[in-house]
Every structure is written in C-alpha cells, then in structure tokens.
Amino acid sequence: MQPRWEHFHHEADVGVRGIGATKDDAFAQAALALTAVVTEPGGVLAREAVDVRCEAPDDELLLAEWLNAVIYEMSTRGMVFGRFDVAIDDGRLRARAFGEPLDAGRHRPAVEPKGATYTALRVVRDGDAWIAQTVVDV
Amino acid sequence: MDPARLVRRSDTAWEIAPRGAMRVPAVIYASEALIRAMDDKVAEQAVNVAALPGIVGASYAMPDAHWGYGFPIGGVAAFDAARGGVVSAGGVGFDISCGVRCLHTGVTRGEVVAVQRRLADALFERIPAGMGRTGEIRLSAHDMDAMLAGGARWAVARGWGGAADLERIEERGAIAHAQPHRVSEQARRRQRDEMGTLGSGNHYLEVQEVVEVHDPGIADAYGLAQGAIVVMIHCGSRGLGHQIGTEFLRRMAIAAPSFGIHLPDRELACAPIASELGADYLGAMRAAINCALANRQILTHLVREVFADVLPQARLPLLYDVSHNTCKVERHVVDGRVRDLHVHRKGATRAFGPGHPDLPADLRAAGQPVLIGGSMGTGSYVLAGTLSSEAQAFSSACHGAGRAMSRQQALKRWSGRRVVDDLAARGILVRSPSQRGVAEEAPGAYKDVEAVVDAAEAAGLARKVARTAPLVCIKG
C-alpha cells in the first residue's frame, strides 16, 4: 500500500494521521501530516538531516513523543521537514528528518504547532494498514 | 449537543448529575442555542473532569466551551490539596497563561484613521508575529531565571514599562512560588529566540475602537468611553510554556497509575498536589505564567514605541491583563467554609467581583476587567466580574468566541486574500505573514461572540461593559 497522511477534524486544533504498511511508515507519515499543519510538505527541500531519538512505554505515547520531538526540532532549529525515515524497535524510535531552514516567503507557514496532545491518540493495525494519529495543539 | 441530555437548572445553567465515577456534577453555563451548537465532546470532557480526585463543587464549562483536549476549552475545576486534590497539566494546556491585555491610547478614531495604514505597517514591522519570527531579546541563563521568577516585574525593571503597569496585571505582574530550577533546559532552549514575540494561530494584536458602552458607570471606572481607542494583545508563554506542558503531560500520564489515579482519557494527566511531581509541575507552570506576563509586557513596550513614532500624542497605560490558561491557588468559600483551592481555568478567565481584595484599589468597586477576544471581524468585549460569579464558578467567565468550525473547514471555505480584502472594505486593516493563517482564522470560523457574552451575563458570570471593534489587526 502507498503510505499517506491526512488531517482529521478537531474543533479547535488539527488532527494528524499517518497511514502505512508498517508502524514505521505510519509514524513517518504522521510527521508529514504535522509538517502540513505548517506548510505543504512537497515544498520543503531536503537540505539538512537531523537525527531524532525517543522512547516511550507504549506505541501511543511513543507517537506523541515522536511528534513532540519533531516540534522541538522545528522550533529550536527554525526548520521545516519534508521527509522522515523512521525505525521503531521495542519502544525505541530512531529517525532522520530531512528539511531546511524555514523560509517565510517560500513556505508561507500557516500556524505553529505547540505540542502533540493525547486526544484521539491511536496507534492501531487495521487490516493491512497501520494508523498513527493524534490531535496537535496549534 | 442535544439539550435533552442535560438537566436545565435555569435559562443559562445546565447540569449533569453525578453518575458512575463522577464525584461532583458537571455544569455548563450557556443559552439553549449555544448548547445546541456545542460539540457533544464538551459534556463528555466535563464529565471526565468531574471524576478527578479532590474536585470541589462541580466541573464547570463556560458559554464558549468547545471540544478541547482532556478538559474542555472553557473548563473550570477547583481541587482541594487536603482532600487528595490533583493538579493537571492537561487542565492548564500547552499555552500556559495565554491571555489578553488591553491598553488605553487616549487618541480618537479620527486620529487613528488618519494614519491607519502607517500604524498597521509599523506595528507589523515591529511586533514579531507568525511562525519563525524571532524577538530581539536574548537572555543569558541568569536573566532567564530572573525572568521566570519575576514576570512582568522583571520586564519593568529592565525598562519595558512602568510600575503603574504592574498594578493592572493579575498577581501584580509576577505569580509567587515560581521555581525556575524546575524548568527544563529544553523549555529554556525553545524560549531562546521567542521573548517579545506574538506567536501564531489565534494570537493577535489589535487596535480597536469602543463602539458600544453597556455599563457607563463601570466603563467610566475603567477609563473607557464610546469612541475610545484601545490596543488588545492576545498571546501566551510561547515555546517555554508549550514545552513545559508537553513534558508534564507525559510525566503525569505515565505516573498516574502509581498514584492510584484512573484516567478515562490520558490527556487528563494529573498528579496529587501534595506529590513531588505535583510540586514540580506547579513550580515550572508558575515560571511559565511569569514568562507569559513578561512576554506581554515586552510586546506592550514595542507597541508604545510604535505609537510614539506614529501617534506621539498617544499615552498607553494598561487597563488590565488577564490570563486564561492557568492553575492558581485561590481562597474560596465552599459550603460556608473558607478553603484554599487550586483552580484550573483552561480557556476561562478569572472574574473577581467588586470588593475582591486582590483587585487594585482603583478598580475594586467596579470589579475585575474581564477581557474577551472575539474574531477579526466581529470585535471583542470588556466585561466586569460580578459578585454572583463566585457562587456560580469560583469567579470565572468565558474567554473568547470559541471556534465554530475546524481550521480545515475554514480553509475550504475562505481564502486569506479574500478575508483581508473584505475586512479592508469594512475599514479593518489586517497584516499577517500568512494568508493561509488568515483564512483559518476567518471571522466566520468563530462563534458569535455576542451570544457568548450575553450568555455569560445572563448566567451571572460577568457583566457587559463595552464592545470594541478592530481597526487594525496584526495576526500571527
């Protein structure tokens, strides 16, 4: 299956959802959905790579931890990311995020994510697909 | 929400009696029309909050309540430490001490309109707004600690404002018992470039005109009159608060079972006030409150600089500064007994009534100014705290209009350019780095703020004093 991301409805904030054949892919796609809260992921050039590590006691907390780690890198490096390679092993996530410094003129950022919440937080296998989703506070 | 799910106590009070794990009732203050427009999730979340340990009175939702995370946005809940009460990172939210401040200007509409474009451009140039815009202030580790302990008092001591400002800020500009040493390096790192920035999303800075006075007596006490020009600033604790919220949400969610706390929703993550984790959060969260107060004080200084250039005759004393995402220790009378409670307000404004000892002497008779942000097109309100609000919801009121639709729905319906042009045709100049951000914040994406404040007044939570309408909007 083709990995993909989408946004889902939340009254005040934005739901991000990643879908893929593996949990790794679903997490990577969820991070792309996070980027899409800010800017079109296709418009982000892979000029720099940033390594991210995190861990958590279960898959759902790991997803929140992962998205919060990406938010932290976006915030402190002033970057946006357009591609993520993710590998999850026994509650530990290792990832490389590819992106570039935020360019307000080109990326036209819509809104800044504050943090990944635990609302509508789910990491589940549904048939052939893994789904990883939560609501991001903006 | 179907009103039939609720027991109607009055025209504007709706109750869900305790059932299941609920320790207290859930009470929603709203008109029937607002209840019908409200998401079912508000009731679900208010019910979940009612089940948390040590909750006192009821789990309340304000008229602008909407589906939040954990607590409803527009939620108020008080906890008693002596009865196993909790403090909840989810009950404060990510944008700790987000709030609104209102400045007088002393100039007239005519004076503003004569330089409106120049004023809008100068404010947009001077106020860092939107994602990626950094401030000019870089703090050393020592200065960061001083800021986190001193809030707006620290900012005033640095020359960004005057002592008179502090009288008009909740906690006189700095909340006590902030503990900077409990703030992580990551949270400090996120704040490094963000002192004196507005942020994005629903944050804004507006030049507004008082277009309607509802209570001339209180308006006079507040220094407001028909046609007066004010500046409203809506923003919070920026990256530092967001990071503290993130870190403690995780720690509390993981630790909750060890305290014997069952969380129906992990977002309700909390810890006993009397635990080390609870103390850790309170110390860090109060530091974030001070960060927000310092941030709004610095923005105030920047606004004053712009006015000094563009409208040098203006004087910009502070009317008041309120925070609407907080947990504060307050003294309330419950069942005839005085108790010190940890009152969480998430998307709700403290609204002390006349005579409250925490109010500055010159506002004490009128009651606390309660500043309500509307949308870019509809305007905002200044309300006043009432005596009745104490019994209704621990002296709390609404905080804004509340969204009527999601950002995705708004994007499908409006273009940013069109929103800016439509508002310009109505004499409202919008400046924003993001057209998409403007579309997501389109006036039509928000509920009718008038309906919200009418319900707040009818419920006795606050009293309408004046309505303002924007002339200039700087949108992050």
Side-chain angles (χ1 to χ4, degrees), chain A:
Chain A
M1 67 171 296
Q2 190 68 24
R4 63 188 172 88
W5 60 265
E6 61 194 23
H7 289 157
F8 63 92
H9 168 76
H10 182 274
E11 204 171 11
D13 295 300
V14 184
V16 297
R17 178 180 291 142
I19 301 160
T22 64
K23 202 194 298 178
D24 296 358
D25 282 350
F27 272 53
Q29 292 294 317
L32 280 177
L34 171 66
T35 295
V37 171
V38 179
T39 188
E40 172 54 45
V44 179
L45 303 176
R47 285 187 171 138
E48 293 175 40
V50 175
D51 288 331
V52 179
R53 303 266 184 282
C54 55
E55 56 185 76
D58 61 56
D59 281 348
E60 292 183 346
L61 287 179
L62 187 63
L63 175 66
E65 198 67 10
W66 158 236
L67 295 175
N68 280 322
V70 174
I71 289 170
Y72 180 79
E73 298 299 337
M74 288 166 72
S75 166
T76 55
R77 293 175 188 272
M79 288 179 69
V80 279
F81 301 102
R83 199 183 106 208
F84 301 90
D85 292 344
V86 176
I88 301 168
D89 181 24
D90 194 24
R92 288 194 169 80
L93 180 149
R94 298 156 60 91
R96 181 158 283 189
F98 299 88
E100 61 177 327
L102 178 73
D103 177 337
R106 190 155 53 79
H107 297 123
R108 310 177 75 77
V111 68
E112 163 190 48
K114 294 173 184 165
T117 75
Y118 298 168
T119 294
L121 174 59
R122 283 173 67 211
V123 177
V124 292
R125 185 160 193 176
D126 183 12
D128 292 342
W130 277 91
I131 298 168
Q133 68 168 51
T134 197
V135 168
V136 174
D137 187 17
V138 294

Side-chain angles (χ1 to χ4, degrees), chain B residues 56-355:
Chain B
V56 174
S59 161
Y60 298 103
M62 299 290 108
D64 53 336
H66 49 285
W67 176 21
Y69 39 96
F71 280 53
I73 295 170
V76 176
F79 298 85
D80 188 341
R83 299 191 179 185
V86 294
V87 59
S88 170
V92 173
F94 288 90
D95 200 356
I96 297 167
S97 202
C98 181
V100 183
R101 70 165 46 190
C102 179
L103 304 163
H104 299 289
T105 66
V107 295
T108 64
R109 177 193 170 90
E111 288 172 286
V112 168
V113 168
V115 294
Q116 194 174 358
R117 193 167 295 274
R118 215 179 119 215
L119 181 63
D121 291 340
L123 286 169
F124 186 51
E125 161 91 26
R126 195 81 181 93
I127 307 292
M131 186 172 174
R133 281 290 301 273
T134 55
E136 291 176 3
I137 298 163
R138 298 287 178 282
L139 300 182
S140 67
H142 176 267
D143 285 345
M144 178 75 79
D145 278 348
M147 181 275 287
L148 294 173
R153 290 182 205 164
W154 166 86
V156 166
R158 294 279 295 248
W160 298 311
D165 293 338
L166 301 176
E167 282 295 301
R168 297 301 186 99
I169 302 171
E170 287 178 328
E171 329 305 333
R172 299 294 193 275
I175 193 163
H177 308 301
Q179 295 179 309
H181 69 276
R182 299 194 195 252
V183 175
S184 70
E185 280 309 312
Q186 287 83 354
R188 292 159 184 268
R189 178 71 184 76
R190 268 182 88 169
Q191 192 61 20
R192 196 186 65 174
D193 301 330
E194 298 199 346
M195 284 314 295
T197 62
L198 192 62
S200 65
N202 61 1
H203 293 168
Y204 61 78
L205 185 152
E206 287 189 343
V207 180
Q208 303 174 343
E209 178 188 6
V210 175
V211 290
E212 199 170 0
V213 170
H214 300 277
D215 187 317
I218 298 179
D220 190 49
Y222 288 177
L224 296 173
Q226 183 86 23
I229 301 294
V230 297
V231 175
M232 290 260 201
I233 303 171
H234 177 213
C235 72
S237 50
R238 311 293 299 113
L240 182 131
H242 308 165
Q243 187 66 23
I244 290 171
T246 298
E247 291 169 3
F248 280 92
L249 188 64
R250 179 186 204 267
R251 286 176 62 186
M252 288 177 169
I254 292 172
S258 72
F259 296 119
I261 299 173
H262 167 69
L263 299 177
D265 171 352
R266 288 215 267 201
E267 192 73 46
L268 291 164
C270 59
I273 296 161
S275 67
E276 181 58 26
L277 180 53
D280 213 7
Y281 176 68
L282 285 167
M285 185 268 297
R286 289 169 183 150
I289 289 178
N290 284 338
C291 180
L293 299 179
N295 195 48
R296 289 198 287 274
Q297 188 64 36
I298 294 168
L299 290 171
T300 296
H301 174 74
L302 300 178
V303 170
R304 286 170 174 159
E305 284 189 339
V306 170
F307 271 77
D309 280 347
V310 180
L311 283 164
Q313 67 275 37
R315 292 291 173 271
L316 288 88
L318 185 52
L319 167 57
Y320 212 65
D321 180 299
V322 298
S323 296
H324 49 229
N325 287 347
T326 59
C327 172
K328 292 181 177 177
V329 180
E330 295 169 5
R331 188 153 288 180
H332 294 279
V333 177
V334 183
D335 300 330
R337 275 187 48 222
V338 175
R339 290 160 78 174
D340 287 327
L341 303 175
H342 285 68
V343 183
H344 294 64
R345 295 187 182 87
K346 182 178 181 182
T349 313
R350 186 156 80 180
F352 284 148

